[in-house]
Amino acid sequence: MHVTTHGTESGPPVLLIHGNCSSSGFWEPLVRHLPATWRIAAPDLRGYGESPALGVDATRGLRDFADDVAPLLRALAEESGRPVTVVGHSMGGGVAMQLLLDHPERIGGLVLEAPVSPYGFGGTRDLDGTPTSPDHAGSGGGSANPDFVRLLAAKDRGTEEQASPRNVMRAFYAAPGFDFGEDEELLLDTMLSTAVGEDQYPGDGTASANWPGTAPGTRGVLNTMSPGYLNLSGIVDLPSKPPVTWIRGDQDAIVSDGSFFDLAQLGKLGLVPGWPGEEDCPPQPMVGQTRAVLQRYAEQGGSFREIVYTGVGHSPHIERPEEFAAVLREVVGS
């Protein structure tokens, strides 16, 4: 596993876990604002950046990713002699929650930035994560935009096609109109480092009799977040609960209660034909689900705070790096 490190080995340990279709380089705009005295480690998850594409067993949820990162978490805790602050972005927030489930004693604080819902991505209808259909139709590898997958595999850097990686990054990785400036090529590089295929991104799919006609397969990235394989709400029952800081933007179009990557929401908007209606297939309340789980986490002896940035999209650490860094300094300092 390729790991980018910063700082001194004796400093407070911070583990940064990137999200889907990115890599450790996606943290660079934030790292510039963090103290040089910290011990920062940012791994490339398997199939991203410079780490090998080992394939992903989606039936384990996000555990393949979490198991890869666990030795790094242990090493950071042991070399510093203190618990680690773990920061996870988007899918990386789910990996961070899985690490918390598996290794709570090594985590001193959890920062979830625009995290995937504890009940996964797509295919659930309410705050308890109830499946919309028995086969979790509408989630998994078959839910990806095929044009985006094709252009991602081709490492397209243009803007000619609507679904090009650059256009997707500009439209959805931050709030509309955000200027990535000099970081745009670096951030696009992280997207284009994604290994594409049925064993990696997006994964495989299966036909379904339920709308929209596709259900999760068993391999690859998007299937790891299908509610058929992923349920992270068990953090509520942990006997040891580090404080959680949840950071999100109010303009997030990827992880929201009306996500433009949720087929049920696209059906509601008339962009995917045949939507059976709100009663049969409502959009997933992603933000509401996360809040409900964290509220139960607090009721059971933990604590959390929710920080919402106005006018910010899916990447607060890039859109508001100085403010994000200030919050992280508070977490590490506590």
PDB file of all heavy atoms in Angstrom, residues 289-304:
ATOM      1  N   GLN A 289     -29.973   9.884   7.826  1.00  0.00           N
ATOM      2  CA  GLN A 289     -29.533   8.607   8.381  1.00  0.00           C
ATOM      3  C   GLN A 289     -28.277   8.772   9.228  1.00  0.00           C
ATOM      4  O   GLN A 289     -28.184   8.217  10.336  1.00  0.00           O
ATOM      5  CB  GLN A 289     -29.283   7.611   7.246  1.00  0.00           C
ATOM      6  CG  GLN A 289     -30.546   7.132   6.558  1.00  0.00           C
ATOM      7  CD  GLN A 289     -30.262   6.258   5.351  1.00  0.00           C
ATOM      8  OE1 GLN A 289     -29.134   6.207   4.850  1.00  0.00           O
ATOM      9  NE2 GLN A 289     -31.276   5.558   4.864  1.00  0.00           N
ATOM     10  N   THR A 290     -27.317   9.534   8.721  1.00  0.00           N
ATOM     11  CA  THR A 290     -26.092   9.765   9.495  1.00  0.00           C
ATOM     12  C   THR A 290     -26.407  10.473  10.803  1.00  0.00           C
ATOM     13  O   THR A 290     -25.902  10.100  11.871  1.00  0.00           O
ATOM     14  CB  THR A 290     -25.097  10.595   8.666  1.00  0.00           C
ATOM     15  OG1 THR A 290     -24.713   9.847   7.508  1.00  0.00           O
ATOM     16  CG2 THR A 290     -23.851  10.925   9.484  1.00  0.00           C
ATOM     17  N   ARG A 291     -27.263  11.490  10.736  1.00  0.00           N
ATOM     18  CA  ARG A 291     -27.609  12.218  11.954  1.00  0.00           C
ATOM     19  C   ARG A 291     -28.318  11.311  12.962  1.00  0.00           C
ATOM     20  O   ARG A 291     -28.044  11.365  14.165  1.00  0.00           O
ATOM     21  CB  ARG A 291     -28.485  13.424  11.611  1.00  0.00           C
ATOM     22  CG  ARG A 291     -28.784  14.301  12.843  1.00  0.00           C
ATOM     23  CD  ARG A 291     -29.626  15.511  12.486  1.00  0.00           C
ATOM     24  NE  ARG A 291     -28.932  16.423  11.598  1.00  0.00           N
ATOM     25  CZ  ARG A 291     -29.264  16.637  10.326  1.00  0.00           C
ATOM     26  NH1 ARG A 291     -30.303  15.989   9.795  1.00  0.00           N
ATOM     27  NH2 ARG A 291     -28.579  17.480   9.592  1.00  0.00           N
ATOM     28  N   ALA A 292     -29.215  10.460  12.491  1.00  0.00           N
ATOM     29  CA  ALA A 292     -29.947   9.567  13.391  1.00  0.00           C
ATOM     30  C   ALA A 292     -29.004   8.600  14.093  1.00  0.00           C
ATOM     31  O   ALA A 292     -29.134   8.351  15.306  1.00  0.00           O
ATOM     32  CB  ALA A 292     -31.013   8.801  12.608  1.00  0.00           C
ATOM     33  N   VAL A 293     -28.033   8.061  13.364  1.00  0.00           N
ATOM     34  CA  VAL A 293     -27.072   7.133  13.975  1.00  0.00           C
ATOM     35  C   VAL A 293     -26.189   7.870  14.975  1.00  0.00           C
ATOM     36  O   VAL A 293     -25.940   7.370  16.092  1.00  0.00           O
ATOM     37  CB  VAL A 293     -26.226   6.435  12.890  1.00  0.00           C
ATOM     38  CG1 VAL A 293     -25.039   5.697  13.519  1.00  0.00           C
ATOM     39  CG2 VAL A 293     -27.086   5.449  12.097  1.00  0.00           C
ATOM     40  N   LEU A 294     -25.716   9.054  14.629  1.00  0.00           N
ATOM     41  CA  LEU A 294     -24.848   9.799  15.545  1.00  0.00           C
ATOM     42  C   LEU A 294     -25.605  10.275  16.781  1.00  0.00           C
ATOM     43  O   LEU A 294     -25.032  10.357  17.883  1.00  0.00           O
ATOM     44  CB  LEU A 294     -24.202  10.971  14.816  1.00  0.00           C
ATOM     45  CG  LEU A 294     -23.167  10.595  13.748  1.00  0.00           C
ATOM     46  CD1 LEU A 294     -22.598  11.845  13.087  1.00  0.00           C
ATOM     47  CD2 LEU A 294     -22.040   9.743  14.330  1.00  0.00           C
ATOM     48  N   GLN A 295     -26.877  10.578  16.636  1.00  0.00           N
ATOM     49  CA  GLN A 295     -27.669  10.935  17.815  1.00  0.00           C
ATOM     50  C   GLN A 295     -27.790   9.751  18.758  1.00  0.00           C
ATOM     51  O   GLN A 295     -27.680   9.908  19.983  1.00  0.00           O
ATOM     52  CB  GLN A 295     -29.044  11.435  17.375  1.00  0.00           C
ATOM     53  CG  GLN A 295     -29.030  12.831  16.786  1.00  0.00           C
ATOM     54  CD  GLN A 295     -30.362  13.262  16.216  1.00  0.00           C
ATOM     55  OE1 GLN A 295     -31.236  12.435  15.935  1.00  0.00           O
ATOM     56  NE2 GLN A 295     -30.547  14.555  16.026  1.00  0.00           N
ATOM     57  N   ARG A 296     -27.988   8.562  18.225  1.00  0.00           N
ATOM     58  CA  ARG A 296     -28.026   7.366  19.071  1.00  0.00           C
ATOM     59  C   ARG A 296     -26.656   7.082  19.670  1.00  0.00           C
ATOM     60  O   ARG A 296     -26.537   6.635  20.812  1.00  0.00           O
ATOM     61  CB  ARG A 296     -28.516   6.171  18.252  1.00  0.00           C
ATOM     62  CG  ARG A 296     -30.029   6.217  18.019  1.00  0.00           C
ATOM     63  CD  ARG A 296     -30.510   5.318  16.905  1.00  0.00           C
ATOM     64  NE  ARG A 296     -29.827   4.044  16.834  1.00  0.00           N
ATOM     65  CZ  ARG A 296     -29.590   3.388  15.705  1.00  0.00           C
ATOM     66  NH1 ARG A 296     -29.961   3.926  14.552  1.00  0.00           N
ATOM     67  NH2 ARG A 296     -28.996   2.221  15.725  1.00  0.00           N
ATOM     68  N   TYR A 297     -25.603   7.371  18.911  1.00  0.00           N
ATOM     69  CA  TYR A 297     -24.233   7.239  19.408  1.00  0.00           C
ATOM     70  C   TYR A 297     -24.044   8.111  20.652  1.00  0.00           C
ATOM     71  O   TYR A 297     -23.463   7.679  21.660  1.00  0.00           O
ATOM     72  CB  TYR A 297     -23.279   7.654  18.293  1.00  0.00           C
ATOM     73  CG  TYR A 297     -21.801   7.519  18.553  1.00  0.00           C
ATOM     74  CD1 TYR A 297     -21.144   6.326  18.311  1.00  0.00           C
ATOM     75  CD2 TYR A 297     -21.044   8.613  18.992  1.00  0.00           C
ATOM     76  CE1 TYR A 297     -19.763   6.207  18.499  1.00  0.00           C
ATOM     77  CE2 TYR A 297     -19.678   8.514  19.180  1.00  0.00           C
ATOM     78  CZ  TYR A 297     -19.042   7.313  18.937  1.00  0.00           C
ATOM     79  OH  TYR A 297     -17.684   7.202  19.131  1.00  0.00           O
ATOM     80  N   ALA A 298     -24.540   9.340  20.583  1.00  0.00           N
ATOM     81  CA  ALA A 298     -24.432  10.255  21.721  1.00  0.00           C
ATOM     82  C   ALA A 298     -25.301   9.798  22.884  1.00  0.00           C
ATOM     83  O   ALA A 298     -24.890   9.884  24.056  1.00  0.00           O
ATOM     84  CB  ALA A 298     -24.814  11.667  21.286  1.00  0.00           C
ATOM     85  N   GLU A 299     -26.487   9.308  22.588  1.00  0.00           N
ATOM     86  CA  GLU A 299     -27.383   8.835  23.651  1.00  0.00           C
ATOM     87  C   GLU A 299     -26.806   7.642  24.395  1.00  0.00           C
ATOM     88  O   GLU A 299     -27.117   7.430  25.585  1.00  0.00           O
ATOM     89  CB  GLU A 299     -28.738   8.459  23.050  1.00  0.00           C
ATOM     90  CG  GLU A 299     -29.537   9.655  22.550  1.00  0.00           C
ATOM     91  CD  GLU A 299     -30.713   9.244  21.680  1.00  0.00           C
ATOM     92  OE1 GLU A 299     -30.903   8.015  21.478  1.00  0.00           O
ATOM     93  OE2 GLU A 299     -31.437  10.130  21.194  1.00  0.00           O
ATOM     94  N   GLN A 300     -25.950   6.886  23.728  1.00  0.00           N
ATOM     95  CA  GLN A 300     -25.347   5.699  24.335  1.00  0.00           C
ATOM     96  C   GLN A 300     -23.960   5.983  24.923  1.00  0.00           C
ATOM     97  O   GLN A 300     -23.170   5.059  25.109  1.00  0.00           O
ATOM     98  CB  GLN A 300     -25.255   4.572  23.297  1.00  0.00           C
ATOM     99  CG  GLN A 300     -26.603   4.076  22.786  1.00  0.00           C
ATOM    100  CD  GLN A 300     -27.453   3.496  23.901  1.00  0.00           C
ATOM    101  OE1 GLN A 300     -26.960   2.775  24.770  1.00  0.00           O
ATOM    102  NE2 GLN A 300     -28.746   3.816  23.911  1.00  0.00           N
ATOM    103  N   GLY A 301     -23.674   7.233  25.191  1.00  0.00           N
ATOM    104  CA  GLY A 301     -22.443   7.569  25.915  1.00  0.00           C
ATOM    105  C   GLY A 301     -21.366   8.247  25.103  1.00  0.00           C
ATOM    106  O   GLY A 301     -20.354   8.663  25.659  1.00  0.00           O
ATOM    107  N   GLY A 302     -21.542   8.360  23.790  1.00  0.00           N
ATOM    108  CA  GLY A 302     -20.567   9.053  22.961  1.00  0.00           C
ATOM    109  C   GLY A 302     -20.901  10.533  22.835  1.00  0.00           C
ATOM    110  O   GLY A 302     -21.729  11.069  23.581  1.00  0.00           O
ATOM    111  N   SER A 303     -20.268  11.182  21.890  1.00  0.00           N
ATOM    112  CA  SER A 303     -20.563  12.589  21.624  1.00  0.00           C
ATOM    113  C   SER A 303     -20.274  12.874  20.160  1.00  0.00           C
ATOM    114  O   SER A 303     -19.432  12.215  19.539  1.00  0.00           O
ATOM    115  CB  SER A 303     -19.729  13.521  22.502  1.00  0.00           C
ATOM    116  OG  SER A 303     -18.348  13.409  22.194  1.00  0.00           O
ATOM    117  N   PHE A 304     -20.996  13.850  19.605  1.00  0.00           N
ATOM    118  CA  PHE A 304     -20.697  14.278  18.241  1.00  0.00           C
ATOM    119  C   PHE A 304     -21.111  15.735  18.085  1.00  0.00           C
ATOM    120  O   PHE A 304     -21.939  16.251  18.828  1.00  0.00           O
ATOM    121  CB  PHE A 304     -21.422  13.403  17.210  1.00  0.00           C
ATOM    122  CG  PHE A 304     -22.829  13.822  16.887  1.00  0.00           C
ATOM    123  CD1 PHE A 304     -23.098  14.614  15.778  1.00  0.00           C
ATOM    124  CD2 PHE A 304     -23.895  13.442  17.695  1.00  0.00           C
ATOM    125  CE1 PHE A 304     -24.397  15.005  15.474  1.00  0.00           C
ATOM    126  CE2 PHE A 304     -25.199  13.825  17.406  1.00  0.00           C
ATOM    127  CZ  PHE A 304     -25.447  14.614  16.288  1.00  0.00           C
TER     128      PHE A 304
END
